[in-house]
Amino acid sequence: MKRWLAGLTLFLTLSALFAIAPYGAGVARDSVEYLATGMHVAQGRGFITFDGTPFRLWPPLYPLLLAGLSVFPLDPFLTGGWVNALLLGASVYLSGLLFMEIFPRRRWLGILGAGLFGISRSMFPLSIHLLSDLLFMVLVLAFLWVVSSMSRTRGVLLAGVLAGLAWLDRYIGALLLPLGAGWVVFFSRVSWRKRLERMGLFLLVSALPMSFWMVRNLRLFGHPFGAPPPARLTLIENVEAGLAEMRLWLFPEGFLPAWGMLGGFLLFLGVLAFLVRWRRGDLAGRAGILAGWFILWGVAYFAFLLISSTQADITRLDARLMAPIYPAFLMFILAGLEGLARVLKRWRLASLLVPLIVGLFWGIPSVSQWADILQQTRTYGAPLYNYLNTPEFRQSGVTAYLQSEGVPEGLPLYSNYRTAVFLYTRHTCSGSPWSRHPHYAIEYPLEQYLPDFPAGETGVLIWYESGVHTHYYAPEDLARLYVLDVLYKGEDGGVYLIRRR
């Protein structure tokens, strides 16, 4: 079965590479933060982002990964997309191994589960965007694999390393520390002294890397996590968003309710099957441990995500943020298929074919969505978490001018789209605030729109007219306070020399 799993892993990895081949990975603001910070680290400038300010919103592991890719004589944007495709393969392979351990008598469920996992709306889009989520998923799955069998100090050490790296990739990875420590203390079959020693080792190894980063943040921002902005959504709004995403796992958009009814039936049957197996004692050993870990992780992650979203500003709980819960959900679907096979166990052929057909039928929406994302990505660019690596910006006259004429050297740069300027020129824009983002109703007074512009000096204003974000001001408004000399001007924006009046 592992050969089948390896073949599936290779296929999905190549499909992600095939998708991004024409235009590269999808890029949003987060992606440019990671890309710019990684490139600046590789250049020895430290953790500096695209606007010249210190990197603060997220932990440093993914930028460090992109910085490490600079050893190759290729653009980190290109190699970063390749690495994310490989991370998709790693997550598919690990999920398949875990599912096969949970369902040892029907290991083909592991192959089916790994395939559904890899092409799901929560997973495949992450492989075609330059984001840190897939790295986090791989680390969590690897942690679950290791922690469920760590009976020696070496296993505790490895689990601590994985937990520490997961925390260094996303702050919510801190959840793995109490989960791992609790496992060592309450479920290890050694003396209590040995348990406490191993717990101390686990916590030391897992917390040490992040402690350096937290000290750095305290020095720069006065907050261990970079002083995140306050929350915009209430607890109820985030609960509704999270449940709406889970509903799409059962009732996919654009498909008949029959698919959702079938998914709900399999989910109910899966929960019932697990209860029966637990009552009979069939969940003893590694299968039960892994199933328990999946459930514990899913519940803890969702609860922590809801709590943190009421304290700090994060985006709405969408497929991306909910992705780490999807393996636990899928485990119950597979358990429902196994329960269906148990009901039909007297008919050997039917006990294999019926669950397989039902599982594939339930997976039709995932296959359709995967094929649609693949086609859209090859035609236009990644369709979901992406607004910069799109035709609107790639084919913009502003981008064409900057790439053909270059950016004037020695002059400070300002732009209403600092992320686009960095992506297409690798130049840092400083002093230019956000344009009006659909999620941020922040209006900058015209006098403060370029707050760091030095008096008596000349700079370059790079202005994109985009339908993605709206703008309170246009260059004509800025002309009331600044002298604008046109270098390029078109319907999609312009490039200007600018100085105060």
Side-chain angles (χ1 to χ4, degrees), residues 260-330:
M261 293 173 64
L262 177 60
F265 168 72
L266 291 176
L267 187 63
F268 170 76
L269 190 59
V271 173
L272 186 63
F274 265 115
L275 291 175
V276 171
R277 288 181 65 185
W278 173 74
R279 186 67 178 269
R280 292 179 177 178
D282 294 342
L283 284 178
R286 187 166 168 78
I289 293 172
L290 283 173
W293 268 109
F294 266 119
I295 296 170
L296 182 61
W297 164 251
V299 172
Y301 179 90
F302 188 55
F304 192 87
L305 197 62
L306 290 175
I307 294 172
S308 61
S309 65
T310 63
Q311 304 298 318
D313 182 18
I314 63 174
T315 56
R316 188 176 296 273
L317 304 191
D318 56 6
R320 175 187 171 190
L321 289 177
M322 296 291 288
I325 303 176
Y326 189 69
F329 169 85
L330 196 55

Side-chain angles (χ1 to χ4, degrees), residues 121 247-248 250-260 364-365 368-369:
R121 58 176 274 115
R247 181 186 62 81
L248 289 176
L250 291 174
F251 295 87
E253 292 178 337
F255 286 85
L256 296 175
W259 270 272
I364 285 176
S368 177
Q369 291 170 347

Side-chain angles (χ1 to χ4, degrees), residues 437-484:
H437 188 286
H439 298 311
Y440 298 87
I442 301 174
E443 181 174 1
Y444 291 92
L446 184 61
E447 295 75 12
Q448 300 177 17
Y449 197 72
L450 301 177
D452 298 329
F453 193 91
E457 295 189 14
T458 299
V460 178
L461 176 65
I462 302 170
W463 191 274
Y464 279 95
E465 287 294 341
S466 167
V468 179
H469 293 178
T470 57
H471 308 290
Y472 281 110
Y473 305 113
E476 290 74 18
D477 297 311
L478 296 177
R480 301 191 331 236
L481 300 177
Y482 303 90
V483 176
L484 302 180

Side-chain angles (χ1 to χ4, degrees), residues 212-265:
F212 292 106
W213 185 252
M214 292 169 68
V215 169
R216 175 257 189 193
N217 286 340
L218 280 170
R219 292 181 58 189
L220 291 178
F221 313 114
H223 192 285
F225 303 116
R232 292 177 293 109
L233 301 176
T234 65
L235 177 63
I236 298 300
E237 289 174 325
N238 278 305
V239 169
E240 292 175 347
L243 294 179
E245 179 58 34
M246 292 183 187
R247 181 186 62 81
L248 289 176
W249 293 343
L250 291 174
F251 295 87
E253 292 178 337
F255 286 85
L256 296 175
W259 270 272
M261 293 173 64
L262 177 60
F265 168 72

Side-chain angles (χ1 to χ4, degrees), residues 94-173:
L94 285 169
S95 67
L97 290 179
L98 290 166
F99 288 143
M100 284 194 288
E101 289 289 334
I102 295 174
F103 306 102
R105 297 180 181 178
R106 293 177 176 84
R107 296 169 71 85
W108 59 269
L109 285 172
I111 308 297
L112 179 61
L116 293 173
F117 176 74
I119 65 174
S120 68
R121 58 176 274 115
S122 293
M123 285 303 300
F124 188 75
L126 299 180
S127 69
I128 56 174
H129 294 82
L130 209 63
L131 297 168
S132 65
D133 303 75
L134 264 180
L135 177 58
F136 180 74
M137 181 66 76
V138 169
L139 292 170
V140 168
L141 292 174
F143 174 84
L144 295 178
W145 176 265
V146 170
V147 77
S148 62
S149 60
M150 60 177 186
S151 57
R152 298 182 180 180
T153 302
R154 183 173 55 184
V156 174
L157 183 63
L158 180 57
V161 170
L162 292 170
L165 291 175
W167 193 12
L168 210 58
D169 185 59
R170 287 182 62 188
Y171 285 126
I172 201 169

Side-chain angles (χ1 to χ4, degrees), residues 362-380:
W362 180 79
I364 285 176
S366 294
V367 175
S368 177
Q369 291 170 347
W370 167 76
D372 185 55
I373 291 172
L374 196 66
Q375 185 270 333
Q376 288 189 51
T377 303
R378 286 193 58 81
T379 305
Y380 306 109

